[in-house]
Amino acid sequence: MPQTKVKEFIFATVVSLISLISACLLVEGYFVLKNWNRSVALGTQFDSNLGWVNIPDYSFSADNRTYTTNKFGLRSQSLNPAADHILILGDSVAYGAGVNDQETLSFYLSEKFPNVQVLNLAVSGYGIGQYYLALKNFIDKTRPKLIITMIYTGNDFADTRKDNLFGISKPLFETQNGKLVNLNPSISRLSCQNIISRSWINSLIPTIKLQNYLCSSQELNFSNAKLTINKLFQQIHRVGKDKNADTIFALSPSLIGSQWLNCYWQGKPENCQSFDSGFHQNYRDFKELLEETKLPFLDLNNSFVLKAKGSEKELSTLYNQNGKDFHHYSPKGNKLVAEVLKSFIDKDLNNLVSKRKVNFLSAEAIKNKKNAFDHIKRGNFQKSLELIEKLIEQNPKRSELYFLLGISYQGLIKYPEALKAFRKTIELDPLNFESHNLIGLTHYKTGKSPEAIVSFKNALKIMPDFADTHFNLALALNSVGKGYSALTHMRISKELYNRKKNGLMAGLAEKEIASYINKYKINSTSLEEKDISARLSNLAQIKKLEGLLVHYPKDLDRKYELAQKYLDTNQTELAQSELKSILKDYPTGAVMWNDLGFLHMKSNRFEEASEKLKKALEINPEFANAHFNLATIMEKSGEKEKAVHHFKKALEFFRRFNNEKFTQLSEEAINRLSKSNNSIKKREPLIK
């Protein structure tokens, strides 16, 4: 090729490349400029502190819905600085995506609280870190009485642990050395993520997610994210507390999460498989986080399932487009949330807050109380009694003073007075397990072992891992000849004393154990150490659940969990009580009716058991467990044809759900009954 043509070719190639690059740059520039104001959601704009905010004084329509904000960007009426305020934090769920201005949660709440202005600070796409920042930025403009933080359990965890949403930069908090640190305190509009997310190439191949390759994005690991969210909850509460405002965290479920729970309680495993159980697990994770913080929260999942009364269709009506949008509430859903919040605020919140309030003793009273306690330790019970009686005159509502009064009377061998003081302690502080224990000890010392046993058991309901009570209960049980139970509790006390490195009491417990084994001729290996550990683990979980239900007595999820733990520890009366309590509020709970029937069956109350199991099958005719249990009762009652019928039903459904163990048990029962009953000759052959 001639030299001139080579030069021409090179020149043409270079020009073409420059033209191509220039064209790409022009297209990229056009797209960046075109998408310059693109944000996470319609009606939002860039903000260097929060990533994005609602556009102030703005109104727009989408899908025939109207969205309007005031001059502060709140989806509320104009701020009245002279009014008291309820502040709502959250993302698109609290904002009201998919509903008109007069159909949002904040609108319905304002109708419930006409004397308070409700301000909606929620912004679509926000995570919990942004809730916190939005509150900090705005709270000084208000007179807050209550802060409602709507936690959307479907994605708030994921949104909070990342430094961007859909490629748009946002704040990211992390816990470092016990403190919250904002890793993105100042966000640039020209950040790598903000530019790339608006680019032409990124829009051509969105699945590549160029920002992940070109930009240094950050995401917290699961453990750090949990710790950080816990801290954020506490900080939101603290910001409110500094302004003398109460705080509620409302756990908002996805429709799928509510459907899964509803399905589970109906005993319909084949339907439950169609719902992603991960949504319910997300919900449980948030619930456990809030339980750890001991901050007031509202379980909306519980409220939704109760409202639906077992109907999946009714649940769907609480969400947009009859459940097609399973994240956001319909007007009906928002109205229900407002009603539940109103009830919670009026009834439960005051109780929760009052339970955390303490009337402090004066400096002099604290000194006298310490002196009284020192006298008790030295055995000077008369002197401690005189001091405590004077303290009670000045502070008649202090439960711990009556407790010390009871100990003083007990030391003076004045048992009736001691009992009276301990009962007064319990009246003022129902969770004072030590008073129950000392009432039991007083009864035991005066020869009233049956009364002592009742009191010791009451103490263990409150504090299942209290070693002294297990020790004392074992002594009382031994005195009435209940050797195996006495041995059980003495072994538990020994294990607990060993854990606390109390060698003296562990040694005494060991001697008692040896005497019980010898006295009652009990096989010493009948209660293995691993059984003790498992029991203690169950008791600790029971203690936790019972403590939670003191604050949230209508939490059906936790009540059912507690009933299961009672079953695991053979506390059948308590299990029955919890199940009956649940069924009062949720009569369509097929699982609860089945469990109640099972308990009656175990105690040979077949008529009552049949009644409960039939109730479960009325609600869900395909409930395999209920068929199996009812068949077992029919077999024991001699009604073999009915037994075969229900075993066949159980077999059909166990096969459908791939339950190999109970499929085999059902087959064996049918074969057994068919061989033993000549009247059942033309039975259908089992399909293997």
Side-chain angles (χ1 to χ4, degrees), residues 504-516:
L504 175 63
M505 290 304 299
L508 290 174
E510 182 62 43
K511 288 180 181 178
E512 290 291 327
I513 289 167
S515 71
Y516 297 164

Side-chain angles (χ1 to χ4, degrees), residues 479-496:
S479 70
V480 294
K482 295 186 177 180
Y484 187 83
S485 295
L487 178 61
T488 299
H489 285 283
M490 193 57 75
R491 276 188 157 161
I492 291 172
S493 76
K494 177 193 167 187
E495 173 66 18
L496 289 169

Side-chain angles (χ1 to χ4, degrees), residues 71-252:
K71 72 175 186 177
F72 294 105
L74 311 184
R75 198 177 181 190
S76 307
Q77 293 181 338
S78 297
L79 173 68
N80 179 359
D84 291 331
H85 299 108
I86 293 176
L87 308 181
I88 298 177
L89 308 175
D91 61 1
S92 55
V93 175
Y95 171 77
V99 298
N100 284 302
D101 292 332
Q102 287 75 39
E103 297 169 333
T104 63
L105 168 61
S106 55
F107 178 82
Y108 290 127
L109 264 183
S110 65
E111 291 186 326
K112 301 288 181 187
F113 296 96
N115 298 322
V116 180
Q117 187 178 27
V118 179
L119 299 175
N120 188 350
L121 278 66
V123 178
S124 293
Y126 270 12
I128 300 166
Q130 289 160 297
Y131 302 170
Y132 165 57
L133 283 178
L135 177 65
K136 275 184 68 179
N137 292 349
F138 194 75
I139 196 167
D140 286 339
K141 297 180 178 68
T142 67
R143 297 173 55 186
K145 293 297 175 187
L146 178 65
I147 298 162
I148 300 171
T149 306
M150 297 290 295
I151 304 296
Y152 177 53
T153 59
N155 61 20
D156 268 7
F157 193 94
D159 290 348
T160 304
R161 69 190 292 196
K162 297 186 296 187
D163 69 350
N164 72 90
L165 184 64
F166 310 139
I168 307 295
S169 297
K170 60 183 278 295
L172 175 64
F173 282 92
E174 182 180 32
T175 303
Q176 296 179 0
N177 299 320
K179 294 183 179 180
L180 275 178
V181 177
N182 187 354
L183 304 180
N184 263 353
S186 181
I187 298 165
S188 170
R189 192 162 194 162
L190 297 174
S191 71
C192 177
Q193 289 175 334
N194 282 343
I195 294 294
I196 295 298
S197 66
R198 293 168 171 83
S199 78
W200 170 56
I201 296 175
N202 197 56
S203 66
L204 282 178
I205 321 174
T207 54
I208 292 180
K209 297 181 180 178
L210 283 176
Q211 62 266 28
N212 291 348
Y213 296 97
L214 302 177
C215 310
S216 57
S217 59
Q218 300 180 83
E219 182 172 340
L220 304 183
N221 63 44
F222 184 80
S223 299
N224 200 349
K226 281 184 71 173
L227 186 62
T228 298
I229 288 171
N230 188 309
K231 282 283 184 186
L232 285 166
F233 286 156
Q234 294 179 50
Q235 285 300 114
I236 289 170
H237 172 72
R238 188 167 290 120
V239 170
K241 189 178 178 182
D242 289 344
K243 294 287 184 180
N244 294 317
D246 291 322
T247 303
I248 297 173
F249 294 87
L251 289 176
S252 177

